[in-house]
Structure formats: C-alpha cells, structure tokens
Amino acid sequence: MNVTESPQKVHFKGLDTLRAIAAIVVVVSHIELIKSRNGIPALNIHYLKLPDDHLAVILFFILSGFLITYLLMKEKEDNGSISFKNFYLRRIFRIWPVYYLVIILSFILFNPKYTFKTIALCLGVFPNIASALNIEWDVSPQIWSIGVEEQFYLFWPLLIYIIPKNKLLTCLLVFFIAYTILPHAIRFTNGFTFKSDELNMFTDKFFPQSKFNCMSLGGIFGYLYALKRKELGFFYKGIIAYPSIILSFALWFTAFKIANFNDVLYSILFGIMILNVATNKNLKINLDFKPLNFLGKISYGIYMYHWIIILLVIKFIPTNLIANHLTYNIILYLTVLGLSIFVAFISFKTIERYFLGLKNKYQTKYK
C-alpha cells in the first residue's frame, strides 16, 4: 500500500526518497558552481552530465504543492472549513527558524556588504524578488525558493477555501496555464509598448524564480487524490505511470532540455510520478530506501546549510593543498556532503525538533 493512514497522520511513501535525490542534486550542482566562481577547474568525467539543480527545486515545488493542497482539501472536506491560523503557524514553525538562522549565520561568517533593500527583502521572506532585482543574498542564494513557497502559501489556502470544490479543478488549471503564459505575454506586450530592457530582464529573472505555476500543478494532483477524482484512473494506468517515473529520471539525468516550457514539461512528469509513487496501490515500483528516507527527512536542512558549508570547505581546503585534481574533488565532495548531512541532522534533532513540537500543537490529523 502506497499510503499508510492512522488517526494521527497520513504518510506518503517514496516522497522522502525524492526529497533526498533532489537535495543531493542541488548540493552537487552548487559545488561545481561555486568552484567555477573561485576559478577551480570543473570535475571532468567523460560521459557524465550533472542533472540540473533548478529542476531539483522544481521537484521540491511539485511535492510541496501536492502535499499542501491534499492536506487543505482533506481539512475542508472533514471540517467544512480551513483553519488559516493553524495553517500559517505550522508553516512558520517549520520554515522560519532554519531560514532566519541561515541568514544570520551567513551574515556573521562572511560579513557581506548588502544594501538595505536586500536585507529588507530577505528578512521579509522575499529573497526571490531580491534575486530578480540582482541584489540577492549571495552568501546563501538558495533561499530564493523559500520565498516562492512562503508567498504561495499566502494565497493558496484562501483560493481553496473560497472556490467550491466542483469548480476548483477548473480554477487551478486556469491559474497554472495563465501563470505559465504570463511571462511570455509580458515580453510580447513590452516589445510593442514600453520596449523596456529592464522589464525584460526582470521578467526573465523573476518568473524562473517564482514558480507558482509548478506549485499549482502539484496542487492539481493533490486535489485529484484528496477527492479521489475519476481522472486518477487515467494517471494510474501502467502506460502512464511507469513512463512518468522512467522519463523523469532519464531526461533529468541526461540533461535533456527543450527551448521553451522546459520547466512545464518536467513539472508534468514530476507531478504524475509523485502521484503514482505516493498513491498508486498497483505500482510495482517502491522508492522507499532507508538511507534515502533518512536523507529525505533532513533534506530541508541539507538544502539550507549546504551553501555556507561549500564556501567554508573551499576556503579551508584550497586547491594548492592537494595537487591531484581528482583527489581534491573526492575530498571536497565527501567533506561537503558529509558536513551538510551532519549539520542538517544536528539541526533536525535540536532546533527543528523544538519548533516541530510547537508546530504539532496546530496539526490536523493529516500532518
């Protein structure tokens, strides 16, 4: 059975494994990115292509949209309403402590010279806006995705609460399509009106880092499962379910891209994959694997702390200390991954556990 239920909570199998894979991809990609910024030669292994870290974040977004929408729909179905207070407090206790700790730590450790606007936007949980304005928190720029999720959470519960469930699927589809087309519409309109290079630059930076459409697509699959809609039968078919899993990883890990709507393509594949991995009882593929489940549970910490760790490791293990390029990379990768996992584990067992305890006071029986 792909979903285990108890009076206290619902657990979706396989999702921790997906979180772990996404977190590892992000760390590996960022090691190479930070190396290149420090003039360190890339790890060059023939026929090896690193999967895109941006798509790893898209996978996180689809997961979040799926889970949040499922939980909100079940709460609305069972209670006839949604407790906005409980919802927002749960999100605050889960996200904010580590988010602000990373901001404080990175500021203390690296003493960056930021403008008031950068500090205000990031402290206000709008780091993606700062990034779009080219004033990002560059000592931990991965926090941009936290801004996307927190902003999405501001309006998504209200949308689900207000719209009747028989009309909600149409509204979610309209939102997904409209937001996907919006940046193209802005660029097209700008070409005939303002002709502003600044607007085009902002559009090109803002929309790739404000993926509300991806989260809403995850929400569509969460809605379908929460209400056990007949459309599930189509997605559960073997001819759909298995190719979605195989293609998701095969295309992602071979760096396949299309010129336009690449994120949309992967969002659809990831969404169908998540739906099947988590809920399809007839699926013969089980992604649960204890080491990856462990990493998945601490994946938020891995994602949030790893950039600081990479910067420190590269600083204290300079390339001239180890002459052999391959040996240097092995030591670098093992040290960064090991420390990221260790720090995330300690964080999960201390800071996060404390705030998760507070979060549990505002839980529904679903999460």
Side-chain angles (χ1 to χ4, degrees):
M1 186 173 179
N2 282 14
V3 181
T4 56
E5 299 192 24
S6 71
Q8 288 76 37
K9 64 180 181 178
V10 174
H11 171 69
F12 290 99
K13 290 187 176 180
L15 298 192
D16 279 332
T17 293
L18 294 178
R19 289 189 186 97
I21 293 170
I24 292 169
V25 167
V26 168
V27 175
V28 169
S29 297
H30 286 174
I31 289 174
E32 290 302 311
L33 175 61
I34 295 174
K35 279 170 58 183
S36 69
R37 291 180 178 179
N38 284 270
I40 302 171
L43 178 62
N44 186 15
I45 300 177
H46 292 300
Y47 309 113
L48 175 65
K49 291 185 178 180
L50 293 178
D52 189 342
D53 61 295
H54 178 73
L55 293 176
V57 180
I58 296 298
L59 178 55
F60 279 131
F61 287 157
I62 299 291
L63 277 165
S64 294
F66 173 83
L67 289 170
I68 289 297
T69 305
Y70 171 80
L71 295 170
L72 289 170
M73 288 302 305
K74 294 299 289 185
E75 182 179 354
K76 184 179 179 182
E77 282 287 289
D78 284 6
N79 302 332
S81 184
I82 292 171
S83 172
F84 293 96
K85 172 190 171 183
N86 288 354
F87 174 82
Y88 290 122
L89 284 174
R90 290 196 302 270
R91 294 303 94 202
I92 287 170
F93 288 134
R94 181 66 188 104
I95 302 296
W96 286 17
V98 172
Y99 175 84
Y100 284 110
L101 178 60
V102 165
I103 287 179
I104 293 168
L105 279 176
S106 60
F107 192 85
I108 292 172
L109 288 170
F110 305 110
N111 193 27
K113 306 300 180 183
Y114 290 139
T115 65
F116 173 79
K117 187 182 290 187
T118 295
I119 295 171
L121 285 170
C122 292
L123 290 180
V125 201
F126 291 96
N128 54 322
I129 306 297
S131 180
L133 295 171
N134 292 314
I135 53 171
E136 68 182 359
W137 195 272
D138 59 4
V139 289
S140 276
Q142 78 284 1
I143 64 173
W144 73 269
S145 66
I146 307 304
V148 177
E149 295 205 8
E150 293 297 88
Q151 293 150 33
F152 181 81
Y153 296 151
L154 286 176
F155 67 86
W156 199 245
L158 185 62
L159 192 70
I160 291 175
Y161 174 77
I162 291 175
I163 300 173
K165 68 178 182 181
N166 60 328
K167 297 180 180 178
L168 186 56
L169 180 59
T170 301
C171 291
L172 297 185
L173 285 169
V174 169
F175 179 89
F176 167 71
I177 294 169
Y179 196 86
T180 298
I181 295 173
L182 183 57
H184 302 278
I186 291 174
R187 285 189 62 91
F188 179 80
T189 304
N190 185 42
F192 287 96
T193 54
F194 305 109
K195 298 181 180 179
S196 168
D197 292 337
E198 289 79 10
L199 179 58
N200 282 339
M201 289 173 61
F202 180 82
T203 301
D204 291 344
K205 198 80 184 287
F206 173 78
F207 283 94
Q209 297 198 351
S210 296
K211 306 301 293 186
F212 299 143
N213 57 335
C214 297
M215 295 194 72
S216 67
L217 184 62
I220 289 171
F221 289 109
Y223 165 87
L224 293 177
Y225 182 67
L227 296 187
K228 302 298 187 290
R229 295 272 302 210
K230 62 181 181 180
E231 291 88 351
L232 289 173
F234 170 78
F235 293 109
Y236 285 165
K237 290 180 180 178
I239 196 172
I240 301 295
Y242 291 104
S244 73
I245 299 171
I246 296 168
L247 280 174
S248 290
F249 287 108
L251 297 181
W252 184 17
F253 279 70
T254 55
F256 175 83
K257 290 186 178 181
I258 57 176
N260 295 303
F261 303 108
N262 191 64
D263 288 354
V264 174
L265 168 65
Y266 279 96
S267 295
I268 293 170
L269 287 174
F270 288 160
I272 299 172
M273 174 179 66
I274 288 166
L275 180 68
N276 280 282
V277 166
T279 71
N280 188 347
K281 298 177 183 179
N282 298 317
L283 192 73
K284 303 302 181 183
I285 298 175
N286 184 1
L287 293 187
D288 271 343
F289 182 54
K290 283 187 178 180
L292 290 178
N293 284 348
F294 164 73
L295 294 179
K297 292 184 186 304
I298 62 171
S299 59
Y300 178 50
I302 293 173
Y303 180 81
M304 290 300 291
Y305 296 115
H306 78 275
W307 192 280
I308 294 174
I309 291 169
I310 297 171
L311 292 178
L312 292 175
V313 171
I314 286 180
K315 178 180 178 180
F316 288 106
I317 308 180
T319 52
N320 58 10
L321 192 66
I322 304 167
N324 185 281
H325 180 62
L326 181 59
T327 303
Y328 170 80
N329 276 284
I330 291 172
I331 294 172
L332 176 65
Y333 271 81
L334 290 178
T335 304
V336 168
L337 288 168
L339 284 175
S340 296
I341 293 168
F342 176 74
V343 172
F345 176 73
I346 297 300
S347 173
F348 185 78
K349 287 295 186 179
T350 55
I351 300 165
E352 293 172 66
R353 172 177 281 182
Y354 173 76
F355 285 100
L356 285 172
L358 297 178
K359 171 178 174 278
N360 289 337
K361 296 179 181 179
Y362 303 95
Q363 296 285 48
T364 67
K365 70 178 181 179
Y366 300 103
K367 191 176 180 184

